[in-house]
Structure formats: structure tokens, C-alpha cells
Amino acid sequence: MDLELDGNTALCTAATSGLGLASAEALAAEGANVAVCGRTPDHVDEARDRLESIGDGDVLAVEADITDPDQIEALVEETVDTFGGLDHVVTSAGGPAPGPFMETTEREWYSAYDLLVMSAVWTTRTAYPYLRDSEAGTIVNITSRSVREVIDDLVLSNAVRRAVIGLMKTQAREFAPEVRVNAVLPGAHETPRIEELVEAAVERGEYDSYEEGIESWSDAPLQRVGQPEELGDVVAFLSSARSSYVTGTALPIDGGSMRS
């Protein structure tokens, strides 16, 4: 299926690894120009090389902290200056600190809100005028299945990420018909973050092997964890004209694990 993204420009925040990078890769493979940001110089360089090897479009990869509104504004403006416009935004963010409610500090609550919610607010507010002027403006928020079903020991993700869904639903109504806004709700995917968690558990003796550890994450009916590119393909579809009647939707990408 041709997603008709050739020559479009997409900005993916916090996308030098994991699901953000997988989304950028899917968009690049469809011929889009792609801009990504990250906080680690090595990851930024690796992402640039990876994306340049995938598609025919151009790539912008820069260091930026998505919890700093000035850096986000500069990122959006640099993207527009480099490519001459902006058609698609994908908001992503690393996970907040794990932990139960009574062990979570007030500072961690504020930090999680900036990371998960305000980063999306700042990005979409700055990008909106350019998306509105595009003939195919879209926003896709990468969140978590925790917005529908809480996950043990992840109180910050469970509580704070839900605000992104409220933001998405509101923007979908306010920005229509010029800009479509959707969200994806990932379940467990074999990202570097999960790989680190599994490897640490193996070192602690909780599992005999990486394979045993990763299998413990596969509580879905499909009996496996997802691969990042499987989510990236859905993000590319939601960014394309092939999903032109889809807006205000929060789509689980979880192998069927969600029971709600």
C-alpha cells in the first residue's frame, strides 16, 4: 500500500531510539523527510545514520530536551526552515520513573507531567500553524496502554499519561478538519528499554536467560512482545491519507493484551 507520504515532512520527538525511532523509520521508508531529536549525542548520530540509510527523503537529527519549551520551539522552527514546511508530528517521550504511589515524590510528579504532557503541549502548539497550512496535517501521540489499564508500580505513567489522551481528544475536535490527531497505546515491545530491564533481571538471577525474561513480558493473546517496527507502521498509516477519516482515536498496539 502506497501511503502517499513521499516528499512530506515529519517531526518525531524523543525519537533517537525505541518506539519513536521506529516511527521515524517507518515514515522515512515511505519517502518522508524526517526530523528527530534526542538528548544523547551518540544516539542522535546513530539515528541520523540509520534514517539516512532507509529512505529517499532528507534527515535532520538534533540534540534537544523535550522538557524545555525553548528547545522544542527551536526544534520545530529548524525543521520548518530546513524542509520548508511541516506535515506530520509524532510526539514521544521516555517513560517516567517507576514506583508505587507512596514512594513517589512531589518533584517526580511535576517532572513526569513536563515529560509526558507538557512536551506534547509545547510541540503541538508550536507546530500547529504549520500543520494547519499543510494539505495533510497530522499529529500522533505515542502513549501507553496504561492510559486504559493501570500497570503495577507505574503510578506516574498510569496517572499522568491519561492527560495526553484528553489533550488528543480535545485537539482532534478543535483542529479539525485541517489537522487530524490520534494516539497509539503500545503494549510491551522489544525496545532498548525493555531489553535493559530484562538483562538486569537476568543478572539479578530472576531469569536464566534473556529469552526467558522477554517471554515473561508476553502476556498478550498473540503470545509474544511486539517489535518496534510493528508500531512504527501503524504510526505511518495514521499519518497518511489512507487514514483520512480517522481522528480522535486512541488505538491499542498490544497484541490483544488489553482487556478493557
Side-chain angles (χ1 to χ4, degrees):
M1 180 184 291
D2 181 4
L3 296 185
E4 302 175 13
L5 291 169
D6 189 57
N8 284 194
T9 294
L11 168 61
C12 304
T13 62
T16 56
S17 67
L19 299 179
L21 178 58
S23 300
E25 290 175 346
L27 290 160
E30 292 293 330
N33 303 316
V34 177
V36 298
C37 72
R39 291 189 296 179
T40 306
D42 287 347
H43 288 173
V44 171
D45 293 339
E46 291 168 4
R48 180 188 299 108
D49 292 343
R50 172 64 179 161
L51 291 167
E52 287 178 342
S53 72
I54 290 177
D56 296 327
D58 294 324
V59 176
L60 174 67
V62 300
E63 291 180 50
D65 182 351
I66 62 171
T67 65
D68 184 330
D70 292 334
Q71 292 189 39
I72 287 182
E73 182 176 357
L75 171 66
V76 173
E77 297 301 335
E78 184 174 359
T79 301
V80 173
D81 289 344
T82 300
F83 299 120
L86 182 58
D87 304 292
H88 313 289
V89 165
V90 180
T91 68
S92 179
F101 173 74
M102 291 303 295
E103 295 178 14
T104 302
T105 67
E106 183 172 319
R107 174 46 49 196
E108 286 174 326
W109 279 98
Y110 284 115
S111 296
Y113 193 78
D114 278 351
L115 175 67
L116 300 176
V117 183
M118 292 310 300
S119 65
V121 170
W122 294 322
T123 302
T124 55
R125 184 169 58 192
T126 306
Y128 172 70
Y130 305 107
L131 298 175
R132 180 192 57 206
D133 292 342
S134 167
E135 295 181 356
T138 67
I139 298 168
V140 179
N141 305 121
I142 301 176
T143 59
S144 169
R145 70 176 184 177
S146 66
V147 305
R148 293 260 187 95
E149 293 184 346
V150 300
I151 301 172
D152 291 345
D153 292 322
L154 290 179
V155 65
L156 291 175
S157 183
N158 295 338
V160 178
R161 286 188 190 274
R162 295 186 181 212
V164 178
I165 300 304
L167 173 67
M168 178 274 291
K169 296 291 285 187
T170 301
Q171 289 180 334
R173 299 186 66 84
E174 291 186 359
F175 293 176
E178 291 84 5
V179 179
R180 294 185 297 108
V181 191
N182 293 289
V184 291
L185 318 182
H189 285 71
E190 198 168 3
T191 61
R193 172 62 174 163
I194 284 186
E195 291 172 359
E196 291 174 4
L197 293 174
V198 171
E199 289 167 357
V202 171
E203 291 181 3
R204 293 193 300 268
E206 296 177 20
Y207 306 109
D208 292 332
S209 66
Y210 175 84
E211 290 71 23
E212 180 184 348
I214 200 68
E215 185 177 350
S216 72
W217 285 78
S218 57
D219 61 345
L222 292 186
Q223 299 180 357
R224 63 177 178 86
V225 297
Q227 295 303 307
E229 58 268 24
E230 293 178 300
L231 180 131
D233 288 341
V234 176
V235 170
F237 170 73
L238 290 174
S239 302
S240 77
R242 296 293 184 175
S243 63
S244 58
Y245 200 56
V246 181
T247 195
T249 293
L251 180 62
I253 316 294
D254 65 349
S257 63
M258 193 177 298
R259 296 175 182 271
S260 63

